[in-house]
Amino acid sequence: LLKIVQYPHPTLRWKSKPLRRVDAELHKIIREMFDAMYEARGVGLAANQVDLPYRLFIVNLTADPAETDQEQVFLNPVLSKPKGQVESEEGCLSLPGLYAEVMRPERITLNAYNLAGQELSADLDGLFARVVQHETDHLDGVLFIDRLSPTKRLATKEVLGEFEAVFDDRRRLGELPDDAAVAARLEELERLRC
Ligand SMILES: [Zn+2]
């Protein structure tokens, strides 16, 4: 089963290339991404959060696995026409327990493809706009902590240090591959579908 990787796993800093190939295996991966997201009680999940280099994310704003008609998959998303600025609290499944106010455009236009290969375009606001921006950031290797004001960033320093210590320990125990091994695997997966 897919596992959600936590900060500072290097895949979270991977800049994903557009997908060129959607196959049955990818459909299966996306189903597993939804399962992992629901288990963690999230409303959005990007592929690199499950250690995959694909330019896609999933959303279900209800976080309820019973609400399958609210499940959305966005492939190769492109954001444009940001309007307004609004600050709101964010968290991330790759930084469990950490929450902070992040300033972002209030409204945004999203262009993407769905799993059926249909192009879609939507003007978004509210929670949907925020989730889509947070997830698209992931695909560029950007985390919400990168967007905090210097003061708020400073306030997260201790918690981030704890995540880093846990990660270093797991590496020392051989539970996590080194950076070169992570990159080699992601590049191989990229060659297959991007
Ligand atoms: Zn996140």
Side-chain angles (χ1 to χ4, degrees):
L1 273 180
L2 292 178
K3 274 213 174 82
I4 295 173
V5 297
Q6 295 191 354
Y7 172 88
H9 194 287
T11 303
L12 295 171
R13 293 305 188 183
W14 193 261
K15 288 183 181 63
S16 304
K17 289 186 190 140
L19 274 162
R20 287 192 298 115
R21 191 180 134 92
V22 174
D23 50 24
E25 175 71 16
L26 191 68
H27 280 254
K28 193 171 152 261
I29 288 168
I30 288 166
R31 192 61 250 159
E32 288 178 12
M33 282 178 67
F34 275 109
D35 294 340
M37 182 181 83
Y38 293 135
E39 199 183 309
R41 299 177 189 278
V43 293
L45 187 67
N48 53 352
Q49 291 184 273
V50 289
D51 204 9
L52 294 170
Y54 307 134
R55 199 156 188 89
L56 76 89
F57 64 82
I58 61 169
V59 172
N60 184 341
L61 294 180
T62 70
D64 181 353
E67 303 268 359
T68 51
D69 62 336
Q70 298 299 310
E71 292 181 348
Q72 299 189 73
V73 180
F74 299 103
L75 310 178
N76 301 340
V78 175
L79 302 183
S80 61
K81 298 179 202 149
K83 291 188 187 77
Q85 285 285 311
V86 63
E87 201 172 41
S88 189
E89 191 178 73
E90 291 187 27
C92 180
L93 297 181
S94 295
L95 281 155
L98 181 66
Y99 299 90
E101 297 272 324
V102 184
M103 186 75 87
R104 291 192 190 268
E106 193 173 6
R107 281 161 287 146
I108 200 93
T109 298
L110 164 69
N111 285 274
Y113 292 87
N114 64 17
L115 261 182
Q118 295 159 323
E119 193 174 3
L120 54 99
S121 177
D123 297 320
L124 307 177
D125 61 14
L127 178 64
F128 203 176
R130 181 158 293 266
V131 170
V132 159
Q133 291 177 79
H134 177 114
E135 301 308 333
T136 303
D137 267 355
H138 271 303
L139 303 180
D140 292 322
V142 174
L143 298 169
F144 82 97
I145 49 173
D146 305 333
R147 296 202 178 273
L148 301 179
S149 66
T151 321
K152 283 175 181 140
R153 176 91 204 220
L154 197 62
T156 65
K157 214 177 158 204
E158 199 181 328
V159 176
L160 294 183
E162 287 164 14
F163 276 104
E164 287 158 11
V166 168
F167 184 84
D168 289 346
D169 280 348
R170 292 193 60 198
R171 267 224 168 130
R172 257 194 302 277
L173 292 167
E175 293 175 14
L176 292 168
D178 64 22
D179 284 359
V182 170
R185 182 182 154 273
L186 295 176
E187 278 161 11
E188 196 183 320
L189 291 169
E190 240 178 24
R191 274 194 292 276
L192 189 67
R193 292 197 179 88
C194 303

